[in-house]
Amino acid sequence: MKVKTSHTSALKRITALTAASLASLLALSGCATTPAEEAAVVGEETSQEVVVRTLNLAIAGTPPSFDPAGLDLGESTLIWASVYDTLTYVDETNTVQPNIAREWSFSADGLTVTFLLRDDAVFSTGETLTAADAAATIEYSKATAGTTQALLSAVDSAEAVDDTTLVLTLNRPDASLLVNLGQSAGVIAPAALLGDPSLALSPVGSGPYILSAESVTGANYILERRDDHWNVEFYDYNTVTLRVFEDAQAISNALQAGEIDSALIDASAAEAVAAAGVNLQRIESIAVGGIFFIDKQGAIVPALADVRVRQAINLAFDRNLIVEKTLLGFGIPSVQLFNPSSTAFNSGLLGTYDYDTAAAIALMAEAGYADGFAVKMPSSFLSAPHEPVITTSLGAIGIAVEWVPIPPQEIASSLFSGQYGLVFFFNGYSVPPRDADAMLSPSGFLAGGYSDDQLAALFATANGATDAASQGAAYQAISAYAVEQALHAPLFAIAVNRANKAGVGWLPQSASTQNLRFFVAE
Amino acid sequence: MLLYILRRLLLAVVLAILVTLITFLLLSPSFDSIVRSSLGTGASAEAVAQRVDDLGLNRPLMVQYLSWLVGAVTGDFGVSIFTNEPVGPAVIQRLGITLSIVFSALLISVIISVTLGVLAATRGGAIDRFAQSVSLTGLLVPSLLVAVFLVFVFAITLGWLPAGGYKSFFDDPGAWAASVTLPVIALAVTGIANMSNQVRGTMIDELRKDYVRTLRSRGISSRSIVYKHALRNAGGPALTVLGFEFLGMLGAALFIERVFALPGYGTFAFNASLRGDLPVILGITLFAVFLTVIVNFVIDIANGILNPKARLY
C-alpha cells in the first residue's frame, strides 16, 4: 500500500511538473509581441469604396539595426526604406529622382549642394519633417561608426538654412552622392531621437509605412501603410508582412505552399517553384563575381604587380562554361567590373579575355613565371562552390592555390588582413560611381589601396562629369582601363530569380536597390 | 534535499563561468574582424577603431569578461552587436519557441516509445519485430530528411499544414498546433527510435527477474506486474536516455528550425556564431549550461522518485 501511494503520488507530481513546464514554455514563446495573422494569399478585401491589399514577402536573414547609422543595403532595405523617407529616390531604372528633396543645385565647383525640401512630410510621431532633422541625421551618421558612415565620406557638413533648405558642403566632388542620398545616407529621422537605442529596433520616420508593434524581431516585420503619406499613391499594399527565412529551401517551400507572395530564390529552386504556378522574373546582373587582386603592389604576392600575370589569370578562365555549369545559366560571362545594363558597360571590351590557356601560359613565361607560383586564398561559403574551377583553371597556368578556411565573421577582414594577395568575392552592383569607388578607387575595400596616375586622372574626369552622357563615357573609360590593366579578374555578372505569385508585379529589371514601391498589384 | 539543490546550483554557476570564459577567450582574437563585419566592407580603419572603442573591446580581456559577468548576474546580458536587440529577452523568447517544440516532441516520443517498448517486450512476435523495424528506420533516417519529406507531402502537395512559420499558442492555439505539428513529428522520429529500443530492452530484462516470477506465483495480474512493477524499475535507464534525447533534440532543432522557418533558439545561436555576435553567443552559452544542468537535475529527481534507492539527496 505504501508503495502504491508513493508511486501514484510520484506519477501525479511528475505529471503536474510536466504540465506546468509546458505551460510556462508556451508562455515564454509568447512573451514577445506576436505577429498579426498573415494572409495566405495576396488578399484583397473590397468594399464599395476601399480596396485593402496585403502582401507577404520572404527575406533571407534577420535585418540588422534600423538606426540610420547602421542600415544594411540588402533585403532589409524593404523595411527601413518604407519607414524612413530619403532625400532622393533611386527608381527602378537606377535613375535618381526627387523625394523629400524637391530639387537641388550644385555650386560651380561641385563642393556645395543646396536642397529644397518638401514641407508636407510628417513623422509618424506627428511632427513635421524639417531641414534641421535632415541635417542632424546626416551629421549623426557621419559621426557614428556604422555602415552608413562610408557613404557620407565626401560630406564635410550639413546645415539647415531654414525649415525647407538644406546645404551640404563637400570635401570633394562625389558622383555617387545623389545615389547615396537615395539610400541609407539620405534617411531622415527625428533629430530628437537620434542616438536613442530604441531606434535600432523600432525606427521612427516619415515614410509611407510604420513598423507595427506586433512585429517580432528576427521573425516577422509587419508594415502598415500610412494613408496620409504625401506619396501614398505609389504604394499599392496596405499591409506588408516580411518573414525571415534562414534557408533557401524553406523559402521555396513557402512559395509552393502559397504562404508567401514574392521572394528571391536560388536557381536550383526555380523549376519546383514554377511548377507550383508561381511566376518567375529573372533579374539580371545583381552582382559581379570574380577574383579581386587585393595586392597589385606585389607586397604579398610579387607576381601580381606584373600586369602580364594578371592578364594571364584573366585568360585562364572559361567564363561561358562557369556560367553554364556553376551558375546553372543564371549569369552573364563578363570581363568588366560594371553592371552590363549600366551606362558604364563598355561593349567594345567584349572578347578581351576569351578563354585561352596557351596565351595565358605564354604571358606567364614572358613575365618570368614559367614555373608558376603558389598563392593562398581565403575559403568561405562565398568561394566554396567556385573553388574547384578556380583551382583547376589557375593550376593549368602554373598557379597553385592553397585555400585557407576562414570563419564567416572574418570574410570582410580577410580583405584587409595582409595575408591574401587575391580573393574570390562578390560585389553587389550599385551605380557606376559607387561600384568604381568600391573596386577601383584607392579607398575602395576591394582595391587594396592601389592607384596610378592614369587611374587617378580617369577618376577625376568621372567625378567632374555633371550629366549622364559624360558620366557614362567617363566610367566606360575607367572600365576599359581596368580591363586593359587587368586590375581584377571578373568572371560573371550573376542573375537571380524573383518569384511572384499571380497578381504581384515587380518593376525593376535589375536590383541595385529594393523598395516596396517596386511591388505593384496587377 | 536542500543541500543537494544548493550543490547542483553551485555546480551550474561554476560550469557557466568556466564555459562562458572559455568561449569569450576563444572569440577574443576575432574582435576586430567581428566589428568590421558589423560595419560592412566599406568601413574605414578609423571607423572600426571607433566602434571597437565604443564597445569596450580594447579593454583588458578579463576586465571585459568580468564586466559582462557582473551584468549577467544582474540580468543584463548586453545587446547584440549587429541588431542592438537586448540579449536576455531575445534568448528567452526564442528558447520558448524551441522548447515548446522539443517538449512536445519529447512527450509524443515518450508516449509512443513506452507503448511500443512495453508491447514489444510483453507480446513479442510480430509486434516486437515491428517495434524493432520502427526503431531501426528512425535511427537510419535523419530528422532533416523526415522534415523535408513531411513538408513536401503535407504542406506543399496536400496543403493540410503550413510549410513554415510559428504562431504563438496564446494568439491562436489552433494555429500554434498547426505550425508545430510537422516540426514535432520530424523531431519525434529519432526520439521514438532511441527510446522504444531502450524501453524494450530494459523491460525484457525486468520481466526475466526473479521478483516477477514471485509476483506471478502470488497471483498478481500480468497488467499489474508490467505497469506497476516492471515498468517502474525499467524507468530509471529510460529516464537517463530521455535526458540525452532532450539535449539531442535541442541540437537537432537547429535543422528543423531552418526547414520550417522557425525563429527559434537553434537558428538564433547558429546565426550569432556565424557572425561572431559576442554578447549573444555568451548569453546563449550561459542559458545552454543552465538548461543542461536543470535537465540533469530533473532527471535525477525523477529517478529518485521512481527508485528511492537511487536518490542522491
Side-chain angles (χ1 to χ4, degrees), chain A residues 106 109-113 138-139 141-142 148-158 167-178 180-181 185 433-434 437 443 463, chain B residues 42:
Chain A
F106 283 82
D109 60 4
L111 296 180
T112 306
V113 195
I138 289 174
E139 289 288 356
S141 295
K142 269 176 48 65
T148 308
Q149 194 181 48
L151 300 179
L152 292 167
S153 60
V155 177
D156 255 354
S157 66
V167 175
L168 298 188
T169 306
L170 310 181
N171 53 47
R172 57 178 168 82
D174 183 0
S176 61
L177 178 69
L178 292 177
N180 294 345
L181 294 176
R434 282 259 291 272
D437 276 345
S443 59
N463 281 328

Short mmCIF file of all heavy atoms in Angstrom, two decimals, chain A residues 106 109-113 138-139 141-142 148-158 167-178 180-181 185 433-434 437 443 463, chain B residues 42:
data_model
loop_
_atom_site.label_atom_id
_atom_site.label_comp_id
_atom_site.label_asym_id
_atom_site.label_seq_id
_atom_site.Cartn_x
_atom_site.Cartn_y
_atom_site.Cartn_z
N PHE A 106 23.96 72.31 -57.62
CA PHE A 106 25.36 72.26 -57.23
C PHE A 106 26.02 73.60 -57.48
O PHE A 106 25.68 74.30 -58.43
CB PHE A 106 26.10 71.18 -58.05
CG PHE A 106 25.83 69.78 -57.59
CD1 PHE A 106 24.69 69.11 -57.99
CD2 PHE A 106 26.73 69.12 -56.76
CE1 PHE A 106 24.43 67.81 -57.57
CE2 PHE A 106 26.48 67.82 -56.34
CZ PHE A 106 25.33 67.15 -56.74
N ASP A 109 31.85 74.78 -58.34
CA ASP A 109 32.98 73.88 -58.07
C ASP A 109 32.52 72.49 -57.61
O ASP A 109 33.35 71.62 -57.33
CB ASP A 109 33.93 74.48 -57.03
CG ASP A 109 33.23 74.73 -55.68
OD1 ASP A 109 32.03 74.38 -55.54
OD2 ASP A 109 33.87 75.29 -54.78
N GLY A 110 31.21 72.30 -57.55
CA GLY A 110 30.69 70.99 -57.17
C GLY A 110 30.86 70.65 -55.71
O GLY A 110 30.62 69.51 -55.33
N LEU A 111 31.23 71.61 -54.89
CA LEU A 111 31.51 71.30 -53.49
C LEU A 111 30.39 71.76 -52.54
O LEU A 111 30.51 71.56 -51.33
CB LEU A 111 32.84 71.94 -53.06
CG LEU A 111 34.07 71.42 -53.79
CD1 LEU A 111 35.33 72.11 -53.30
CD2 LEU A 111 34.21 69.90 -53.61
N THR A 112 29.36 72.39 -53.08
CA THR A 112 28.22 72.77 -52.25
C THR A 112 26.95 72.34 -52.96
O THR A 112 26.78 72.60 -54.15
CB THR A 112 28.18 74.29 -52.01
OG1 THR A 112 29.42 74.72 -51.49
CG2 THR A 112 27.06 74.64 -51.04
N VAL A 113 26.08 71.67 -52.24
CA VAL A 113 24.81 71.24 -52.82
C VAL A 113 23.69 71.82 -51.97
O VAL A 113 23.71 71.67 -50.74
CB VAL A 113 24.67 69.70 -52.82
CG1 VAL A 113 23.53 69.28 -53.74
CG2 VAL A 113 25.96 69.02 -53.21
N ILE A 138 22.17 63.44 -41.01
CA ILE A 138 23.41 63.28 -41.78
C ILE A 138 24.62 63.45 -40.87
O ILE A 138 25.58 62.67 -40.94
CB ILE A 138 23.43 64.27 -42.95
CG1 ILE A 138 22.40 63.84 -44.00
CG2 ILE A 138 24.82 64.36 -43.57
CD1 ILE A 138 22.22 64.80 -45.15
N GLU A 139 24.60 64.47 -40.03
CA GLU A 139 25.73 64.68 -39.10
C GLU A 139 25.89 63.49 -38.16
O GLU A 139 27.00 63.06 -37.84
CB GLU A 139 25.52 65.97 -38.30
CG GLU A 139 25.67 67.25 -39.12
CD GLU A 139 27.12 67.53 -39.48
OE1 GLU A 139 28.03 66.80 -39.05
OE2 GLU A 139 27.35 68.51 -40.24
N SER A 141 24.99 60.31 -38.75
CA SER A 141 25.50 59.14 -39.47
C SER A 141 26.97 59.33 -39.81
O SER A 141 27.74 58.37 -39.87
CB SER A 141 24.69 58.92 -40.75
OG SER A 141 23.36 58.58 -40.43
N LYS A 142 27.38 60.59 -40.05
CA LYS A 142 28.79 60.84 -40.33
C LYS A 142 29.66 60.57 -39.12
O LYS A 142 30.76 60.06 -39.22
CB LYS A 142 28.99 62.32 -40.72
CG LYS A 142 28.90 62.60 -42.20
CD LYS A 142 29.02 64.10 -42.48
CE LYS A 142 30.17 64.77 -41.75
NZ LYS A 142 31.47 64.27 -42.20
N THR A 148 26.60 53.28 -42.65
CA THR A 148 26.25 54.47 -43.43
C THR A 148 27.40 55.45 -43.53
O THR A 148 27.49 56.23 -44.49
CB THR A 148 25.04 55.18 -42.77
OG1 THR A 148 24.00 54.22 -42.59
CG2 THR A 148 24.52 56.31 -43.65
N GLN A 149 28.29 55.43 -42.59
CA GLN A 149 29.35 56.44 -42.48
C GLN A 149 30.16 56.59 -43.76
O GLN A 149 30.44 57.69 -44.22
CB GLN A 149 30.27 56.09 -41.31
CG GLN A 149 31.20 57.21 -40.89
CD GLN A 149 32.09 56.77 -39.72
OE1 GLN A 149 32.70 55.70 -39.74
NE2 GLN A 149 32.18 57.59 -38.70
N ALA A 150 30.54 55.44 -44.35
CA ALA A 150 31.40 55.50 -45.54
C ALA A 150 30.70 56.16 -46.71
O ALA A 150 31.35 56.78 -47.56
CB ALA A 150 31.82 54.07 -45.92
N LEU A 151 29.37 56.08 -46.77
CA LEU A 151 28.63 56.67 -47.88
C LEU A 151 28.60 58.20 -47.80
O LEU A 151 28.22 58.86 -48.76
CB LEU A 151 27.19 56.14 -47.89
CG LEU A 151 27.03 54.63 -48.03
CD1 LEU A 151 25.56 54.25 -48.01
CD2 LEU A 151 27.69 54.13 -49.30
N LEU A 152 28.98 58.74 -46.65
CA LEU A 152 28.99 60.20 -46.47
C LEU A 152 30.40 60.74 -46.36
O LEU A 152 30.61 61.84 -45.85
CB LEU A 152 28.19 60.54 -45.19
CG LEU A 152 26.69 60.27 -45.27
CD1 LEU A 152 26.05 60.34 -43.89
CD2 LEU A 152 26.01 61.27 -46.20
N SER A 153 31.36 59.99 -46.87
CA SER A 153 32.76 60.38 -46.70
C SER A 153 33.08 61.68 -47.43
O SER A 153 34.00 62.41 -47.05
CB SER A 153 33.69 59.27 -47.23
OG SER A 153 33.45 59.03 -48.60
N ALA A 154 32.28 62.02 -48.46
CA ALA A 154 32.56 63.25 -49.20
C ALA A 154 31.90 64.47 -48.54
O ALA A 154 32.17 65.61 -48.93
CB ALA A 154 32.06 63.13 -50.63
N VAL A 155 31.05 64.23 -47.56
CA VAL A 155 30.29 65.33 -46.92
C VAL A 155 31.07 65.88 -45.73
O VAL A 155 31.39 65.15 -44.81
CB VAL A 155 28.90 64.84 -46.46
CG1 VAL A 155 28.15 65.96 -45.74
CG2 VAL A 155 28.09 64.33 -47.64
N ASP A 156 31.35 67.17 -45.78
CA ASP A 156 32.03 67.83 -44.66
C ASP A 156 31.04 68.26 -43.59
O ASP A 156 31.29 68.12 -42.41
CB ASP A 156 32.79 69.06 -45.16
CG ASP A 156 34.28 68.81 -45.21
OD1 ASP A 156 34.73 67.73 -44.77
OD2 ASP A 156 35.01 69.70 -45.70
N SER A 157 29.93 68.84 -44.06
CA SER A 157 28.94 69.32 -43.09
C SER A 157 27.57 69.38 -43.72
O SER A 157 27.43 69.46 -44.94
CB SER A 157 29.34 70.70 -42.56
OG SER A 157 29.26 71.65 -43.60
N ALA A 158 26.56 69.35 -42.87
CA ALA A 158 25.17 69.50 -43.30
C ALA A 158 24.55 70.61 -42.47
O ALA A 158 24.67 70.61 -41.24
CB ALA A 158 24.42 68.19 -43.09
N VAL A 167 21.78 72.53 -46.88
CA VAL A 167 23.01 72.73 -47.63
C VAL A 167 24.06 71.72 -47.17
O VAL A 167 24.34 71.61 -45.97
CB VAL A 167 23.56 74.16 -47.44
CG1 VAL A 167 24.91 74.31 -48.12
CG2 VAL A 167 22.57 75.17 -47.99
N LEU A 168 24.63 70.99 -48.14
CA LEU A 168 25.72 70.06 -47.84
C LEU A 168 27.01 70.64 -48.39
O LEU A 168 27.06 71.04 -49.57
CB LEU A 168 25.47 68.70 -48.47
CG LEU A 168 24.23 67.91 -48.03
CD1 LEU A 168 24.27 66.50 -48.63
CD2 LEU A 168 24.14 67.82 -46.52
N THR A 169 28.01 70.66 -47.57
CA THR A 169 29.34 71.09 -48.01
C THR A 169 30.20 69.86 -48.17
O THR A 169 30.31 69.04 -47.25
CB THR A 169 29.97 72.04 -46.98
OG1 THR A 169 29.06 73.12 -46.75
CG2 THR A 169 31.29 72.59 -47.48
N LEU A 170 30.83 69.74 -49.36
CA LEU A 170 31.60 68.53 -49.65
C LEU A 170 33.09 68.82 -49.60
O LEU A 170 33.55 69.94 -49.83
CB LEU A 170 31.24 68.02 -51.05
CG LEU A 170 29.75 67.85 -51.37
CD1 LEU A 170 29.58 67.31 -52.79
CD2 LEU A 170 29.07 66.94 -50.37
N ASN A 171 33.86 67.77 -49.34
CA ASN A 171 35.32 67.91 -49.35
C ASN A 171 35.91 67.51 -50.69
O ASN A 171 37.11 67.68 -50.94
CB ASN A 171 35.95 67.11 -48.20
CG ASN A 171 35.49 65.66 -48.20
OD1 ASN A 171 35.50 64.99 -49.24
ND2 ASN A 171 35.09 65.17 -47.03
N ARG A 172 35.06 66.97 -51.56
CA ARG A 172 35.49 66.60 -52.90
C ARG A 172 34.24 66.35 -53.73
O ARG A 172 33.18 66.02 -53.17
CB ARG A 172 36.36 65.33 -52.88
CG ARG A 172 35.67 64.13 -52.24
CD ARG A 172 36.54 62.88 -52.29
NE ARG A 172 35.99 61.83 -51.44
CZ ARG A 172 35.01 61.00 -51.77
NH1 ARG A 172 34.47 61.08 -52.97
NH2 ARG A 172 34.58 60.08 -50.93
N PRO A 173 34.33 66.50 -55.04
CA PRO A 173 33.17 66.14 -55.86
C PRO A 173 32.91 64.65 -55.71
O PRO A 173 33.83 63.84 -55.66
CB PRO A 173 33.63 66.49 -57.29
CG PRO A 173 34.76 67.45 -57.11
CD PRO A 173 35.43 67.05 -55.84
N ASP A 174 31.64 64.27 -55.62
CA ASP A 174 31.29 62.86 -55.42
C ASP A 174 30.15 62.49 -56.38
O ASP A 174 29.00 62.90 -56.18
CB ASP A 174 30.86 62.62 -53.97
CG ASP A 174 30.57 61.15 -53.69
OD1 ASP A 174 30.69 60.33 -54.61
OD2 ASP A 174 30.21 60.83 -52.54
N ALA A 175 30.47 61.75 -57.42
CA ALA A 175 29.47 61.39 -58.42
C ALA A 175 28.40 60.46 -57.87
O ALA A 175 27.33 60.32 -58.45
CB ALA A 175 30.16 60.72 -59.61
N SER A 176 28.66 59.80 -56.74
CA SER A 176 27.67 58.87 -56.19
C SER A 176 26.85 59.51 -55.08
O SER A 176 26.00 58.84 -54.48
CB SER A 176 28.37 57.62 -55.66
OG SER A 176 29.28 57.95 -54.64
N LEU A 177 27.04 60.79 -54.81
CA LEU A 177 26.37 61.43 -53.66
C LEU A 177 24.86 61.32 -53.75
O LEU A 177 24.19 60.92 -52.79
CB LEU A 177 26.79 62.89 -53.56
CG LEU A 177 26.11 63.68 -52.43
CD1 LEU A 177 26.60 63.19 -51.08
CD2 LEU A 177 26.34 65.18 -52.58
N LEU A 178 24.30 61.70 -54.90
CA LEU A 178 22.84 61.73 -55.01
C LEU A 178 22.25 60.32 -54.88
O LEU A 178 21.14 60.15 -54.35
CB LEU A 178 22.41 62.37 -56.33
CG LEU A 178 22.71 63.86 -56.45
CD1 LEU A 178 22.31 64.38 -57.83
CD2 LEU A 178 21.99 64.66 -55.36
N ASN A 180 23.68 57.89 -53.09
CA ASN A 180 23.82 57.55 -51.67
C ASN A 180 22.70 58.19 -50.84
O ASN A 180 22.20 57.58 -49.89
CB ASN A 180 25.18 58.02 -51.13
CG ASN A 180 26.33 57.28 -51.77
OD1 ASN A 180 26.15 56.24 -52.40
ND2 ASN A 180 27.54 57.82 -51.62
N LEU A 181 22.31 59.42 -51.25
CA LEU A 181 21.26 60.10 -50.51
C LEU A 181 19.88 59.52 -50.82
O LEU A 181 18.89 59.87 -50.17
CB LEU A 181 21.27 61.61 -50.82
CG LEU A 181 22.51 62.35 -50.32
CD1 LEU A 181 22.47 63.82 -50.78
CD2 LEU A 181 22.62 62.29 -48.80
N ALA A 185 22.29 56.74 -46.68
CA ALA A 185 22.89 58.02 -46.29
C ALA A 185 21.87 59.15 -46.28
O ALA A 185 22.11 60.18 -45.66
CB ALA A 185 24.02 58.36 -47.25
N PRO A 433 29.35 55.06 -60.20
CA PRO A 433 30.27 55.75 -59.27
C PRO A 433 30.54 54.94 -58.01
O PRO A 433 31.68 54.86 -57.53
CB PRO A 433 29.52 57.05 -58.95
CG PRO A 433 28.65 57.29 -60.12
CD PRO A 433 28.21 55.95 -60.55
N ARG A 434 29.49 54.33 -57.44
CA ARG A 434 29.68 53.53 -56.20
C ARG A 434 30.50 52.28 -56.49
O ARG A 434 31.36 51.90 -55.71
CB ARG A 434 28.32 53.11 -55.63
CG ARG A 434 27.60 54.21 -54.89
CD ARG A 434 27.77 54.03 -53.40
NE ARG A 434 27.05 52.87 -52.91
CZ ARG A 434 25.77 52.91 -52.53
NH1 ARG A 434 25.11 54.04 -52.57
NH2 ARG A 434 25.17 51.83 -52.09
N ASP A 437 34.10 53.22 -56.95
CA ASP A 437 34.70 53.54 -55.65
C ASP A 437 35.10 52.27 -54.91
O ASP A 437 36.19 52.16 -54.35
CB ASP A 437 33.70 54.31 -54.78
CG ASP A 437 33.72 55.80 -55.10
OD1 ASP A 437 34.68 56.25 -55.77
OD2 ASP A 437 32.79 56.51 -54.69
N SER A 443 40.62 54.01 -51.90
CA SER A 443 39.97 53.76 -50.61
C SER A 443 38.96 52.62 -50.69
O SER A 443 38.38 52.23 -49.67
CB SER A 443 39.25 55.02 -50.13
OG SER A 443 38.30 55.42 -51.10
N ASN A 463 34.45 62.10 -61.69
CA ASN A 463 33.85 62.84 -60.58
C ASN A 463 33.39 64.22 -61.00
O ASN A 463 32.49 64.80 -60.40
CB ASN A 463 34.83 62.96 -59.40
CG ASN A 463 34.87 61.68 -58.58
OD1 ASN A 463 33.88 60.98 -58.46
ND2 ASN A 463 36.04 61.37 -58.02
N GLY B 42 32.81 48.57 -46.40
CA GLY B 42 33.24 49.93 -46.74
C GLY B 42 33.77 50.72 -45.56
O GLY B 42 34.20 51.87 -45.72
#
